[in-house]
Amino acid sequence: MGGLTRQAPGVLAGAVNGKGAKPMSTPVTGTLNGRDDEARAEQVYQLVLEGIVAGDYAQGERLRERALSEIYNVSRIPVREAIQRLEQDGFVETFPRRGAVVRRLTLSDVNDFFDMRLCLETFAARLAAVQVGQGASGETLRQLLEDGRTAIDEGRGDDVVRLSAAFHAEIVRLSGNRLLIDSVKPLFGRMRWIFGLAHNRSNELQRDEHVELCKAILGGHAELAYSLAYSHIELGRVPVLAGLAGKLEP
């Protein structure tokens, strides 16, 4: 099969479950070309992940291999590989005789998510400051900060969440630690998913915290960057859990 036909995740979700197609606010069309099953599996992974994060694939919703392979114009092999990876990254669960379904998040999952961020992202912030102090460029981090400010000023909520995740991902990239970078990757999809469900903190407050964290990293102040990252992450825990208390099981 020559390539992937890319459509809006909401439309795909309807087809996967045998329902009418769901409307999307921003339909996407085009063709994604993959030269082999590995490339196609990556493309299917990204498209389904975007659908989960955006809420177009609901929690508990079944993902059928056959339907996905028809929608994306690929064999079942890359679809199966994409689903396996989504399961490894915590977005999908598989059950005997039922197959793959979008994972149902719990409040315990969200707590674990914040605990993991405290362990990994604070360390990344410290390393990033060291790297910048030794000459690494922090220009991308600075630009993401400015893009986030603009999104807040213009009231673009979805972009605020996306750019916030990108800001944190860039801090991890700046750490220069390859194993850390690979370990943290699934967290940022989870971040967009969780914050899309409950984002109860002031965007302006988070912007100000990002500004101070960025200053510490670009100034090469490793311990200050660590402390600011820790407080920034921890301050987000309570409002997010409060916002999800009526939506998720314990």
Side-chain angles (χ1 to χ4, degrees):
M1 299 180 182
L4 297 174
T5 301
R6 186 183 183 195
Q7 303 179 52
V11 173
L12 301 179
V16 167
N17 290 280
K19 306 172 185 175
K22 302 176 186 177
M24 284 288 291
S25 56
T26 310
V28 181
T29 58
T31 299
L32 296 178
N33 294 313
R35 291 177 295 178
D36 51 35
D37 282 341
E38 183 177 351
R40 294 186 183 107
E42 172 65 22
Q43 292 168 335
V44 173
Y45 172 90
Q46 292 296 337
L47 287 172
V48 177
L49 175 59
E50 284 302 313
I52 292 172
V53 167
D56 297 307
Y57 293 118
Q59 294 182 45
E61 194 163 317
R62 187 173 177 185
L63 302 175
R64 301 174 187 271
E65 281 187 16
R66 180 177 178 180
L68 286 171
S69 67
E70 291 174 355
I71 290 164
Y72 292 119
N73 190 30
V74 295
S75 72
R76 289 198 187 188
I77 294 174
V79 171
R80 189 172 300 123
E81 291 177 358
I83 288 175
Q84 288 173 350
R85 184 174 161 199
L86 286 162
E87 182 176 21
Q88 291 169 358
D89 289 348
F91 296 99
V92 166
E93 294 178 301
T94 57
F95 299 94
R97 296 184 297 279
R98 191 180 177 200
V101 299
V102 178
R103 181 174 180 169
R104 292 187 183 275
L105 285 173
T106 66
L107 293 177
S108 179
D109 291 331
V110 177
N111 240 332
D112 290 346
F113 162 75
F114 277 98
D115 286 343
M116 186 62 73
R117 289 188 67 200
L118 286 176
C119 292
L120 298 180
E121 289 189 57
T122 53
F123 180 51
R126 175 189 279 150
L127 290 180
V130 171
Q131 291 292 324
V132 172
Q134 294 175 350
S137 173
E139 185 54 37
T140 299
L141 187 67
R142 193 194 313 273
Q143 186 59 56
L144 285 167
L145 179 67
E146 291 305 317
D147 291 346
R149 281 172 160 173
T150 301
I152 291 171
D153 292 342
E154 295 177 354
R156 293 184 279 114
D158 289 345
D159 284 341
V160 170
V161 174
R162 177 181 60 81
L163 289 165
S164 178
F167 176 84
H168 286 277
E170 177 60 15
I171 292 173
V172 175
R173 190 198 67 78
L174 269 176
S175 75
N177 186 308
R178 191 73 251 171
L179 183 58
L180 178 61
I181 293 168
D182 290 341
S183 299
V184 171
K185 277 181 182 177
L187 283 181
F188 295 113
R190 187 74 66 91
M191 180 188 295
R192 291 172 56 204
W193 192 16
I194 290 171
F195 287 175
L197 293 171
H199 188 68
N200 290 0
R201 291 194 74 207
S202 160
N203 284 330
E204 289 73 20
L205 179 59
Q206 293 197 79
R207 175 200 60 202
D208 293 344
E209 292 171 3
H210 280 182
V211 168
E212 294 306 312
L213 178 55
C214 186
K215 284 181 181 177
I217 291 172
L218 298 185
H221 305 301
E223 295 310 312
L224 178 59
Y226 177 94
S227 297
L228 289 170
Y230 190 100
S231 63
H232 173 61
I233 294 167
E234 190 59 56
L235 285 170
R237 186 195 301 257
V238 172
V240 168
L241 287 171
L244 293 173
K247 300 178 182 179
L248 304 182
E249 295 294 324

